[in-house]
Amino acid sequence: MKFSMAVFKDQNSSRLFVGQFISQICDKMMTLGLVWVISQEQSIQMIPWFLAIGALPHLLLASSGGKLVQRIGVLRTLIHTDVSRGIIFLLVGLLWLVYFKHHSLTTLFILTFVSNLLGALFNIAVFTLPGLMPKKELVPQLTAMVDSCFSLGTVVGPAISALLYPWLGLSGLLVLNGLSYLLAAGLEGGIRLDPADPETVESEPADADMAPAIPGRSMFADPLIRFMLSAFFLMNLALTPLMALLPLFVQTRFAGNLAMLAAFEVSIGMGMVAGSLLLSVVEFPLKRGKRAIAGLSAVSLLYLFFGLNHNPVLACLALAGLGLALAVVNVSLLTLFQSRPAPADVPVVMSWVNTISIGALPISMLMVGSLIEKIDLTKMTICLALGLLTISLATAFYREFREI
């Protein structure tokens, strides 16, 4: 095990980290603010439709998003989507009280659709970018660093939103969010890519020991890529209900209140942040495939432990450990998705990764909704945890996955 702060000292990496840290916090802060306004000023029944409209662009760009990012260029996509979102949020925020407040519901639905349309392209680009940086040896650490920004945003953003909304109102949050995107774009504009690895990338993969997809064939003809994407999809299906069922656990299992629910959510969020930050400064000797298998096994066992125990303190510890192990799995798989395909195919793979992350939510919720009244909560959790353990065992028996 080797400790290194090199990724934070690298100017390219630090620019990307600071920009994403700010914009991800403001983005999650904005999402909560919009949900709050709709629930207060319109109807709480509109919330599922609002969230569905936000997920729709990610699904629409599943097959074309990666190709579009290739055509525009990865770094240019990153900068242009942040600039576009910044301008849109600034204009809506500045004109909210004068014009848009009178058409608030329509405006918020359009705003979330356009923002997520740009966000889908941004997500593809931001996880493709590490492989294009000059210092290839920092790719795993940089991926972990970027992942930590998403986790930090989920934890810190809602808390800041709850503090600032009473002072700034929705228009103030919109303006602040717009400024954060523009600041991130300014920092991203200072990033310099490897001159020998242009954004139209036709070069070799980042890892010399990982063979590229067979020339002339679809990258999905590579059985390992198909296996990895399938496993990632099943993982998301099994894990998504955990967050959806947390309120039910708090009410029925622990007889707790909103504060306990917040403690549970913060525990898993902080675990993910800790795991991502740890991977950004520590290099483990374990191969990525084995690291992902170990992390997924830990997630499965901690998921099972949480579902069976009745002590809220132990539940928080289990969720924190689960979050940390989940960060290890996510970063390991993302790094593999960046380095296994031919470089020109990476944005396309990342497009499917983004779609799976978003699309697993409604499928998983439909699954839980159809079973929640037919099966005991504990039994459902045990089944989901055992499902994750089965996925972990399947990956452990896949020799090629173990050895990369």
Side-chain angles (χ1 to χ4, degrees), residues 17-245:
F17 174 74
V18 174
Q20 292 321 297
F21 177 73
I22 295 169
S23 67
Q24 287 302 321
I25 286 177
C26 289
D27 184 64
K28 300 303 184 294
M29 177 182 73
M30 190 70 258
T31 300
L32 182 64
L34 295 180
V35 168
W36 177 260
V37 168
I38 290 175
S39 64
Q40 294 295 304
E41 298 185 5
Q42 303 294 331
S43 167
I44 198 168
Q45 296 177 344
M46 299 301 297
I47 299 299
W49 293 103
F50 176 75
L51 297 176
I53 287 293
L56 184 60
H58 297 270
L59 303 179
L60 292 175
L61 289 172
S63 60
S64 60
K67 296 175 183 176
L68 187 56
V69 170
Q70 284 177 326
R71 193 173 300 121
I72 299 170
V74 175
L75 184 56
R76 283 192 292 273
T77 299
L78 208 67
I79 297 170
H80 292 169
T81 51
D82 269 346
V83 168
S84 299
R85 288 187 290 182
I87 293 172
I88 290 168
F89 275 96
L90 267 178
L91 288 176
V92 174
L94 293 172
L95 298 175
W96 178 260
L97 296 177
V98 177
Y99 179 74
F100 290 113
K101 185 175 176 59
H102 306 298
H103 313 278
S104 60
L105 189 61
T106 301
T107 299
L108 295 182
F109 270 73
I110 294 174
L111 182 63
T112 194
F113 181 84
V114 174
S115 175
N116 278 279
L117 192 67
L118 295 166
L121 296 174
F122 173 87
N123 288 349
I124 297 166
V126 78
F127 282 112
T128 303
L129 189 66
L132 301 177
M133 294 292 203
K135 296 184 178 179
K136 303 298 184 188
E137 69 278 7
L138 295 180
V139 170
Q141 288 76 25
L142 182 54
T143 301
M145 180 190 281
V146 172
D147 189 64
S148 73
C149 293
F150 282 82
S151 301
L152 278 167
T154 303
V155 174
V156 180
I160 295 179
S161 180
L163 290 173
L164 294 184
Y165 180 76
W167 290 3
L168 301 178
L170 182 61
S171 59
L173 288 184
L174 287 165
V175 170
L176 184 61
N177 204 36
L179 291 173
S180 76
Y181 282 130
L182 293 176
L183 176 59
L187 290 166
E188 291 154 5
I191 293 174
R192 296 294 175 262
L193 301 183
D194 186 348
D197 197 5
E199 292 186 12
T200 52
V201 289
E202 297 293 343
S203 56
E204 293 299 316
D207 285 351
D209 60 332
M210 292 188 179
I214 299 171
R217 293 177 59 185
S218 165
M219 64 192 146
F220 297 111
D222 183 340
L224 182 56
I225 291 180
R226 293 201 307 270
F227 173 78
M228 288 158 61
L229 288 173
S230 299
F232 188 67
F233 175 67
L234 293 173
M235 280 172 46
N236 276 270
L237 277 187
L239 283 166
T240 300
L242 175 64
M243 296 305 293
L245 294 173

Side-chain angles (χ1 to χ4, degrees), residues 296-367:
L296 187 55
S297 299
V299 168
S300 309
L301 295 174
L302 288 165
Y303 200 161
L304 186 61
F305 178 77
F306 171 78
L308 293 175
N309 99 89
H310 291 75
N311 185 310
V313 176
L314 291 178
C316 281
L317 292 174
L319 289 173
L322 188 153
L324 192 151
L326 184 58
V328 172
V329 176
N330 285 340
V331 172
S332 299
L333 290 182
L334 284 170
T335 306
L336 292 174
F337 286 132
Q338 290 166 344
S339 51
R340 173 72 184 191
D345 286 335
V346 173
V348 181
V349 176
M350 286 302 170
S351 179
W352 284 104
V353 170
N354 182 60
T355 302
I356 288 170
S357 301
I358 302 298
L361 177 61
I363 297 173
S364 187
M365 291 300 95
L366 182 64
M367 178 179 70

